Amino acid sequence: MSEPWLYPTVLLCIYGFFSSHRPLEAFLMPFLMGPDKNLTETEVVSEIYPLWTYSYLALLFPVFLATDYLRYKPVIILQAASYVVTYALLVKAQGLQAMQIVEVFFGLATATEIAYYSYIYSVVEPSHYQMVTGFCRSVTLLGSAMGSLLGQILFSVADIALFYLCVITLVSFCIAFVAPWFLPMPSKSLFFHQSESSSQDEAVLETVNTSPLIEKPEDPESNKQPNANEKTTLKSNTSSSGLLDVLKMLWTDFLQCYSSSTLLAWSVWWALSTCGYLQVINYAQALWEDILTSKNYDIYNGYVETISTLLGAFAAFVVGYVKVSWAVWGELALCIFTVVIAVCVYLMYAVRNIWVCYTSYIIFRAVYMLLITIATYQIAANLSMKRYALVFGVNTFIALSLQMLLTVIVVDSAGLHLEISIQFLIYASYFAAVAVIFFIAGLYKLFRSRTSGGQNELSSAEA
C-alpha cells in the first residue's frame, strides 16, 4: 500500500469491529439465568460477576508492563484468544465454577485491551495519531452498536434462542482472532524498547496541544511544557531498558504528572466516576431482570445498548466543538453532570418501571461518555504519549481498586450481599458523594481566583 499507516490501521479496525460485535452481551443475564445455564440471580450477581472485577484488577499492572515489553502484537493475539475461550466456554460449559472461569478469562481479555489502543502508536507516524485513533475508537463503537442491534432483532423479531446469539458472538471473535496475526511487529515501544521514541513523543505532544477538539486548560500549572527532566527522559535510553529502569522512570513520571492540580482534579473524577460507571453497567441487566423478567415478558436490552452507545458517541463528538474554560469551570461542571448521573441511577432504583430504567440508563451512559471525553483531552493536553499511558493506567488501576472494594462490600456473598435494587441506591449515593466533592472543590477554586484577582488589583493600584 502507498500509505504505510493504512495496512495496520485496516487490520486493527477489522479486529476492533469483530471483537466488539457481541449480539449476546445485551442479553447475558437472561442467558445465564435461562434454560441453557439455569443459574440463579444470586449466583450470577454475587458469585460470578465479581470475578471479572477481581481478575481485571489483578492482571492490569502485569499486563501493562508485558504489553510494552512484548511490543503489543502478542498481547493483542492473547486478547483475541481470551475472547474466543470466554465464549467457547459460554457455549459448551455448564455450572457455577465453569462460569466463574469464564469471568476470569473475560477479565484477562479486558485487561489486555490496552494493547489494542497502544499498538498503533508504535507503527504509524505521529502526524497520523489523531486520525487513526479516531478510526479505531469509532469502529469499536460501531461494532458494539451493530452487535446489540443484531442481537435484539434476532431475539425479538426472528425469535432466535439466546444460545444462537452466543454462537454468533463466538463466530465474531473467531473472525477477530485471525486479524492480529497479520499485523506487522513493532520495532519499538513506549518504555522498554525506546529507539526513535523521543521524536515520537515530542511530535505527539505537539499534535495534542494543537488539537482543536478541546480547549486547553488555562491554569498555569497545567499549561506548562515538558521540562528538562521530561525531555531528558524521552531522549535517553535509546536502546532497550531493563525492568528496574522502567519502574524508576514510571515512578518519577508519576510524581511529576500528579503534581499538577488540574491533572489531579480530572484524574480524581476519572477514577471515581469510572468505578461507579463500571459497577452500574455490570449490574444493570440484573436490575432490569429483577423489574421485568425475560421469562415472562419481552425485553429490549439490545435496543437500549444500541441507542446509549450511539448517543454517547454523538455527545462525545459534539463536546469537541464546545468552547468552555474548563480550567475555571471544570470542577463545577463535573459536579452538575455528576448530579445528573446520580439522579439517573436513583431513578433506576426508585421507579420500578422498565421504561424509566431504560431511559435513565441511556442518559447515564451518554453523560458519562461526554464527561470522560472531556477528561481525556484535559489530561492529555500537555502530556507526552508516554506519560499519558502512565496516567491512564494509574487512573484505571485506582478505579478498579475502588470498584473491588465496592463489590466486596455491596455485592459479594462474603460482604453485605445486598439486593440488586438496594445496590443501585448505594451507587446513586456514591455518585452524589462524588458530586459534593467537586462542588466543594469548584467553590474553593472560584474563591481562590476571586481572592487572587482582588489582590492583583490592589497591588496594581498601590503601584
Side-chain angles (χ1 to χ4, degrees), residues 117 121 129-130 133-134 137 204-205 207-209 211 213-217 222 258 262-271 273-274 312 316-317 319-320 326 330 334 367-385 387-393 395-396:
Y117 289 109
Y121 303 123
Y129 278 4
Q130 189 168 323
T133 300
R137 290 189 181 278
V204 172
L205 184 63
T207 301
V208 176
N209 280 344
S211 171
L213 292 176
I214 294 291
E215 179 186 353
K216 293 189 292 183
S222 62
Y258 287 93
T262 299
L263 185 145
L264 182 62
W266 287 97
S267 293
V268 167
W269 182 86
W270 180 333
S273 63
T274 299
F317 173 78
V319 77
W326 298 110
L334 289 175
V367 173
Y368 171 83
M369 291 179 71
L370 180 148
L371 289 180
I372 205 68
T373 301
I374 298 171
T376 298
Y377 282 106
Q378 290 301 302
I379 290 171
N382 290 284
L383 292 178
S384 64
M385 185 60 64
R387 288 191 167 183
Y388 175 71
L390 172 63
V391 170
F392 175 82
N395 291 349
T396 304

Side-chain angles (χ1 to χ4, degrees), residues 139-173:
V139 81
T140 56
L141 290 173
L142 179 64
S144 177
M146 290 188 64
S148 299
L149 182 60
L150 177 64
Q152 184 68 63
I153 292 173
L154 292 177
F155 180 66
S156 298
V157 180
D159 200 26
I160 299 293
L162 291 178
F163 173 79
Y164 294 105
L165 296 188
C166 188
V167 173
I168 294 171
T169 307
L170 176 59
V171 171
S172 293
F173 282 126

Side-chain angles (χ1 to χ4, degrees), residues 41-159:
E41 179 183 327
T42 299
E43 288 174 328
V44 175
V45 172
S46 301
E47 299 182 47
I48 295 175
Y49 279 4
L51 267 294
W52 172 80
T53 302
Y54 303 152
S55 58
Y56 186 5
L57 176 63
L59 293 167
L60 183 64
F61 185 68
V63 166
F64 178 81
L65 293 177
T67 297
D68 194 84
Y69 182 76
L70 297 174
R71 290 178 289 178
Y72 314 112
K73 179 179 174 177
V75 180
I76 297 177
I77 294 173
L78 174 63
Q79 182 190 40
S82 299
Y83 278 133
V84 171
V85 172
T86 296
Y87 273 82
L89 288 173
L90 274 176
V91 169
K92 297 295 292 183
Q94 298 289 335
L96 175 62
Q97 290 184 339
M99 294 304 103
Q100 289 175 328
I101 295 172
V102 165
E103 290 298 309
V104 172
F105 274 101
F106 189 59
L108 174 60
T110 312
T112 51
E113 192 175 52
I114 188 174
Y116 173 75
Y117 289 109
S118 302
Y119 169 86
I120 202 68
Y121 303 123
S122 64
V123 294
V124 304
E125 293 300 316
S127 58
H128 295 118
Y129 278 4
Q130 189 168 323
M131 179 173 57
V132 297
T133 300
F135 288 157
C136 292
R137 290 189 181 278
S138 298
V139 81
T140 56
L141 290 173
L142 179 64
S144 177
M146 290 188 64
S148 299
L149 182 60
L150 177 64
Q152 184 68 63
I153 292 173
L154 292 177
F155 180 66
S156 298
V157 180
D159 200 26

Side-chain angles (χ1 to χ4, degrees), residues 174-240:
C174 289
I175 296 172
F177 180 72
V178 176
W181 290 92
F182 296 96
L183 289 169
M185 187 69 178
S187 60
K188 55 186 176 294
S189 63
L190 288 176
F191 301 109
F192 285 97
H193 311 283
Q194 297 185 32
S195 61
E196 302 179 27
S197 68
S198 60
S199 60
Q200 294 270 48
D201 278 317
E202 289 180 8
V204 172
L205 184 63
E206 183 180 351
T207 301
V208 176
N209 280 344
T210 56
S211 171
L213 292 176
I214 294 291
E215 179 186 353
K216 293 189 292 183
E218 295 173 359
D219 186 275
E221 274 191 340
S222 62
N223 264 336
K224 62 186 178 184
Q225 296 299 319
N227 56 29
N229 289 338
E230 180 172 355
K231 290 184 177 180
T232 300
T233 302
L234 294 177
K235 293 182 179 180
S236 62
N237 300 325
T238 54
S239 59
S240 298

